[in-house]
Amino acid sequence: MKLRIVVTLKNGVLDPQGKAIQHALGSLGFDGVSDVRAGKIFELEVADSTSDKAIDSMCSKLLANTVIENYRIERI
Amino acid sequence: MKLRIVVTLKNGVLDPQGKAIQHALGSLGFDGVSDVRAGKIFELEVADSTSDKAIDSMCSKLLANTVIENYRIERI
């Protein structure tokens, strides 16, 4: 079973990487970029028998820092 | 207009971060994880008038290293 885990910063958490990218795009001449948020994506190949609870646990224990990040699990 | 840019390593390119995560998941007792690939995701808010060509150019010039990475543009 293939999973895609998308980890993004929660609203309200400062994103210096996103800000740097936004400024860099401006410097390169791309106008009209009003916001950039950077996040992470993990593509996992797991055994078909893996439970939803185990998948959720992987995310909250290792893949995302739930204090400042949200995660979304997509089956593909 | 909101865009989501997903940047992933090309097939065949070594992914040490993914390997480290795979081993860490094993150490935490999650069995059956046979592969992990790590990537990046960028959520951009751009002007509605931004052309497809400009968006593609942003990706190839700044957001992705096209030598080792693929990118995918999603409109949301």
Side-chain angles (χ1 to χ4, degrees), chain A residues 7-28:
Chain A
V7 178
T8 50
L9 283 172
K10 287 184 178 174
N11 284 334
V13 177
L14 282 178
D15 181 2
Q17 187 188 357
K19 281 282 167 231
I21 292 167
Q22 188 183 339
H23 287 224
L25 286 172
S27 305
L28 286 171

PDB file of all heavy atoms in Angstrom, chain A residues 7-28:
ATOM      1  N   VAL A   7       2.992  17.127   5.288  1.00  0.00           N
ATOM      2  CA  VAL A   7       3.197  17.814   6.563  1.00  0.00           C
ATOM      3  C   VAL A   7       3.349  19.311   6.283  1.00  0.00           C
ATOM      4  O   VAL A   7       4.234  19.712   5.528  1.00  0.00           O
ATOM      5  CB  VAL A   7       4.457  17.283   7.281  1.00  0.00           C
ATOM      6  CG1 VAL A   7       4.698  18.033   8.578  1.00  0.00           C
ATOM      7  CG2 VAL A   7       4.328  15.796   7.530  1.00  0.00           C
ATOM      8  N   THR A   8       2.462  20.111   6.867  1.00  0.00           N
ATOM      9  CA  THR A   8       2.523  21.571   6.651  1.00  0.00           C
ATOM     10  C   THR A   8       2.517  22.287   7.995  1.00  0.00           C
ATOM     11  O   THR A   8       1.999  21.762   8.988  1.00  0.00           O
ATOM     12  CB  THR A   8       1.311  22.050   5.823  1.00  0.00           C
ATOM     13  OG1 THR A   8       0.120  21.524   6.417  1.00  0.00           O
ATOM     14  CG2 THR A   8       1.397  21.584   4.395  1.00  0.00           C
ATOM     15  N   LEU A   9       3.079  23.471   8.014  1.00  0.00           N
ATOM     16  CA  LEU A   9       3.069  24.271   9.232  1.00  0.00           C
ATOM     17  C   LEU A   9       1.647  24.721   9.550  1.00  0.00           C
ATOM     18  O   LEU A   9       0.870  25.024   8.655  1.00  0.00           O
ATOM     19  CB  LEU A   9       3.958  25.502   9.057  1.00  0.00           C
ATOM     20  CG  LEU A   9       5.461  25.261   9.165  1.00  0.00           C
ATOM     21  CD1 LEU A   9       6.219  26.513   8.766  1.00  0.00           C
ATOM     22  CD2 LEU A   9       5.850  24.857  10.588  1.00  0.00           C
ATOM     23  N   LYS A  10       1.320  24.766  10.835  1.00  0.00           N
ATOM     24  CA  LYS A  10       0.001  25.255  11.233  1.00  0.00           C
ATOM     25  C   LYS A  10      -0.116  26.741  10.914  1.00  0.00           C
ATOM     26  O   LYS A  10       0.887  27.460  10.878  1.00  0.00           O
ATOM     27  CB  LYS A  10      -0.199  25.042  12.737  1.00  0.00           C
ATOM     28  CG  LYS A  10      -0.433  23.589  13.105  1.00  0.00           C
ATOM     29  CD  LYS A  10      -0.724  23.404  14.586  1.00  0.00           C
ATOM     30  CE  LYS A  10      -0.994  21.933  14.854  1.00  0.00           C
ATOM     31  NZ  LYS A  10      -1.153  21.607  16.264  1.00  0.00           N
ATOM     32  N   ASN A  11      -1.350  27.194  10.704  1.00  0.00           N
ATOM     33  CA  ASN A  11      -1.584  28.627  10.517  1.00  0.00           C
ATOM     34  C   ASN A  11      -1.087  29.384  11.732  1.00  0.00           C
ATOM     35  O   ASN A  11      -1.273  28.945  12.861  1.00  0.00           O
ATOM     36  CB  ASN A  11      -3.081  28.896  10.334  1.00  0.00           C
ATOM     37  CG  ASN A  11      -3.540  28.509   8.945  1.00  0.00           C
ATOM     38  OD1 ASN A  11      -2.755  28.502   8.005  1.00  0.00           O
ATOM     39  ND2 ASN A  11      -4.814  28.167   8.824  1.00  0.00           N
ATOM     40  N   GLY A  12      -0.447  30.501  11.484  1.00  0.00           N
ATOM     41  CA  GLY A  12       0.027  31.318  12.603  1.00  0.00           C
ATOM     42  C   GLY A  12       1.470  31.030  12.969  1.00  0.00           C
ATOM     43  O   GLY A  12       2.098  31.821  13.661  1.00  0.00           O
ATOM     44  N   VAL A  13       2.006  29.896  12.496  1.00  0.00           N
ATOM     45  CA  VAL A  13       3.419  29.591  12.761  1.00  0.00           C
ATOM     46  C   VAL A  13       4.267  30.271  11.687  1.00  0.00           C
ATOM     47  O   VAL A  13       3.989  30.109  10.499  1.00  0.00           O
ATOM     48  CB  VAL A  13       3.669  28.062  12.760  1.00  0.00           C
ATOM     49  CG1 VAL A  13       5.141  27.765  12.963  1.00  0.00           C
ATOM     50  CG2 VAL A  13       2.817  27.385  13.812  1.00  0.00           C
ATOM     51  N   LEU A  14       5.257  31.024  12.114  1.00  0.00           N
ATOM     52  CA  LEU A  14       6.116  31.722  11.158  1.00  0.00           C
ATOM     53  C   LEU A  14       6.845  30.737  10.259  1.00  0.00           C
ATOM     54  O   LEU A  14       7.290  29.690  10.720  1.00  0.00           O
ATOM     55  CB  LEU A  14       7.152  32.573  11.899  1.00  0.00           C
ATOM     56  CG  LEU A  14       6.645  33.897  12.479  1.00  0.00           C
ATOM     57  CD1 LEU A  14       7.771  34.598  13.216  1.00  0.00           C
ATOM     58  CD2 LEU A  14       6.083  34.792  11.382  1.00  0.00           C
ATOM     59  N   ASP A  15       6.984  31.095   8.983  1.00  0.00           N
ATOM     60  CA  ASP A  15       7.638  30.206   8.020  1.00  0.00           C
ATOM     61  C   ASP A  15       8.765  30.961   7.304  1.00  0.00           C
ATOM     62  O   ASP A  15       8.576  31.498   6.217  1.00  0.00           O
ATOM     63  CB  ASP A  15       6.586  29.709   7.026  1.00  0.00           C
ATOM     64  CG  ASP A  15       7.165  28.750   6.008  1.00  0.00           C
ATOM     65  OD1 ASP A  15       8.371  28.453   6.104  1.00  0.00           O
ATOM     66  OD2 ASP A  15       6.426  28.295   5.122  1.00  0.00           O
ATOM     67  N   PRO A  16       9.951  31.032   7.923  1.00  0.00           N
ATOM     68  CA  PRO A  16      11.053  31.788   7.319  1.00  0.00           C
ATOM     69  C   PRO A  16      11.478  31.245   5.954  1.00  0.00           C
ATOM     70  O   PRO A  16      11.850  32.009   5.067  1.00  0.00           O
ATOM     71  CB  PRO A  16      12.192  31.665   8.330  1.00  0.00           C
ATOM     72  CG  PRO A  16      11.742  30.738   9.397  1.00  0.00           C
ATOM     73  CD  PRO A  16      10.290  30.430   9.215  1.00  0.00           C
ATOM     74  N   GLN A  17      11.393  29.924   5.776  1.00  0.00           N
ATOM     75  CA  GLN A  17      11.764  29.339   4.479  1.00  0.00           C
ATOM     76  C   GLN A  17      10.808  29.832   3.388  1.00  0.00           C
ATOM     77  O   GLN A  17      11.245  30.233   2.308  1.00  0.00           O
ATOM     78  CB  GLN A  17      11.717  27.800   4.568  1.00  0.00           C
ATOM     79  CG  GLN A  17      12.258  27.108   3.330  1.00  0.00           C
ATOM     80  CD  GLN A  17      12.050  25.594   3.329  1.00  0.00           C
ATOM     81  OE1 GLN A  17      11.526  25.022   4.301  1.00  0.00           O
ATOM     82  NE2 GLN A  17      12.451  24.942   2.263  1.00  0.00           N
ATOM     83  N   GLY A  18       9.519  29.832   3.707  1.00  0.00           N
ATOM     84  CA  GLY A  18       8.527  30.331   2.759  1.00  0.00           C
ATOM     85  C   GLY A  18       8.757  31.793   2.428  1.00  0.00           C
ATOM     86  O   GLY A  18       8.676  32.204   1.267  1.00  0.00           O
ATOM     87  N   LYS A  19       9.044  32.592   3.445  1.00  0.00           N
ATOM     88  CA  LYS A  19       9.296  34.027   3.232  1.00  0.00           C
ATOM     89  C   LYS A  19      10.512  34.233   2.336  1.00  0.00           C
ATOM     90  O   LYS A  19      10.515  35.086   1.448  1.00  0.00           O
ATOM     91  CB  LYS A  19       9.523  34.732   4.577  1.00  0.00           C
ATOM     92  CG  LYS A  19       8.250  35.031   5.339  1.00  0.00           C
ATOM     93  CD  LYS A  19       7.514  36.256   4.767  1.00  0.00           C
ATOM     94  CE  LYS A  19       6.097  36.354   5.318  1.00  0.00           C
ATOM     95  NZ  LYS A  19       5.072  36.506   4.316  1.00  0.00           N
ATOM     96  N   ALA A  20      11.574  33.453   2.581  1.00  0.00           N
ATOM     97  CA  ALA A  20      12.794  33.569   1.775  1.00  0.00           C
ATOM     98  C   ALA A  20      12.495  33.240   0.312  1.00  0.00           C
ATOM     99  O   ALA A  20      12.983  33.913  -0.603  1.00  0.00           O
ATOM    100  CB  ALA A  20      13.874  32.647   2.324  1.00  0.00           C
ATOM    101  N   ILE A  21      11.687  32.201   0.090  1.00  0.00           N
ATOM    102  CA  ILE A  21      11.326  31.810  -1.278  1.00  0.00           C
ATOM    103  C   ILE A  21      10.506  32.918  -1.941  1.00  0.00           C
ATOM    104  O   ILE A  21      10.719  33.259  -3.107  1.00  0.00           O
ATOM    105  CB  ILE A  21      10.548  30.472  -1.269  1.00  0.00           C
ATOM    106  CG1 ILE A  21      11.452  29.325  -0.833  1.00  0.00           C
ATOM    107  CG2 ILE A  21       9.944  30.188  -2.639  1.00  0.00           C
ATOM    108  CD1 ILE A  21      10.714  28.047  -0.500  1.00  0.00           C
ATOM    109  N   GLN A  22       9.570  33.487  -1.171  1.00  0.00           N
ATOM    110  CA  GLN A  22       8.733  34.567  -1.708  1.00  0.00           C
ATOM    111  C   GLN A  22       9.600  35.746  -2.164  1.00  0.00           C
ATOM    112  O   GLN A  22       9.425  36.264  -3.266  1.00  0.00           O
ATOM    113  CB  GLN A  22       7.758  35.008  -0.619  1.00  0.00           C
ATOM    114  CG  GLN A  22       6.701  35.990  -1.093  1.00  0.00           C
ATOM    115  CD  GLN A  22       5.806  36.455   0.051  1.00  0.00           C
ATOM    116  OE1 GLN A  22       5.718  35.783   1.084  1.00  0.00           O
ATOM    117  NE2 GLN A  22       5.160  37.584  -0.124  1.00  0.00           N
ATOM    118  N   HIS A  23      10.570  36.133  -1.320  1.00  0.00           N
ATOM    119  CA  HIS A  23      11.459  37.240  -1.670  1.00  0.00           C
ATOM    120  C   HIS A  23      12.320  36.882  -2.886  1.00  0.00           C
ATOM    121  O   HIS A  23      12.537  37.699  -3.768  1.00  0.00           O
ATOM    122  CB  HIS A  23      12.351  37.606  -0.480  1.00  0.00           C
ATOM    123  CG  HIS A  23      11.598  38.328   0.597  1.00  0.00           C
ATOM    124  ND1 HIS A  23      12.081  39.431   1.254  1.00  0.00           N
ATOM    125  CD2 HIS A  23      10.374  38.117   1.125  1.00  0.00           C
ATOM    126  CE1 HIS A  23      11.176  39.851   2.137  1.00  0.00           C
ATOM    127  NE2 HIS A  23      10.145  39.057   2.079  1.00  0.00           N
ATOM    128  N   ALA A  24      12.807  35.640  -2.919  1.00  0.00           N
ATOM    129  CA  ALA A  24      13.654  35.213  -4.032  1.00  0.00           C
ATOM    130  C   ALA A  24      12.871  35.241  -5.345  1.00  0.00           C
ATOM    131  O   ALA A  24      13.402  35.656  -6.383  1.00  0.00           O
ATOM    132  CB  ALA A  24      14.204  33.814  -3.772  1.00  0.00           C
ATOM    133  N   LEU A  25      11.608  34.816  -5.311  1.00  0.00           N
ATOM    134  CA  LEU A  25      10.777  34.861  -6.526  1.00  0.00           C
ATOM    135  C   LEU A  25      10.602  36.309  -6.989  1.00  0.00           C
ATOM    136  O   LEU A  25      10.673  36.601  -8.186  1.00  0.00           O
ATOM    137  CB  LEU A  25       9.406  34.213  -6.258  1.00  0.00           C
ATOM    138  CG  LEU A  25       9.391  32.680  -6.164  1.00  0.00           C
ATOM    139  CD1 LEU A  25       8.036  32.178  -5.696  1.00  0.00           C
ATOM    140  CD2 LEU A  25       9.734  32.038  -7.500  1.00  0.00           C
ATOM    141  N   GLY A  26      10.404  37.212  -6.016  1.00  0.00           N
ATOM    142  CA  GLY A  26      10.304  38.635  -6.350  1.00  0.00           C
ATOM    143  C   GLY A  26      11.580  39.142  -7.012  1.00  0.00           C
ATOM    144  O   GLY A  26      11.530  39.837  -8.030  1.00  0.00           O
ATOM    145  N   SER A  27      12.718  38.754  -6.459  1.00  0.00           N
ATOM    146  CA  SER A  27      14.011  39.184  -7.016  1.00  0.00           C
ATOM    147  C   SER A  27      14.220  38.651  -8.428  1.00  0.00           C
ATOM    148  O   SER A  27      14.900  39.275  -9.241  1.00  0.00           O
ATOM    149  CB  SER A  27      15.162  38.674  -6.136  1.00  0.00           C
ATOM    150  OG  SER A  27      14.979  39.080  -4.804  1.00  0.00           O
ATOM    151  N   LEU A  28      13.655  37.484  -8.700  1.00  0.00           N
ATOM    152  CA  LEU A  28      13.807  36.887 -10.035  1.00  0.00           C
ATOM    153  C   LEU A  28      12.825  37.496 -11.047  1.00  0.00           C
ATOM    154  O   LEU A  28      12.810  37.103 -12.213  1.00  0.00           O
ATOM    155  CB  LEU A  28      13.591  35.371  -9.966  1.00  0.00           C
ATOM    156  CG  LEU A  28      14.716  34.547  -9.330  1.00  0.00           C
ATOM    157  CD1 LEU A  28      14.282  33.096  -9.134  1.00  0.00           C
ATOM    158  CD2 LEU A  28      15.974  34.584 -10.193  1.00  0.00           C
TER     159      LEU A  28
END
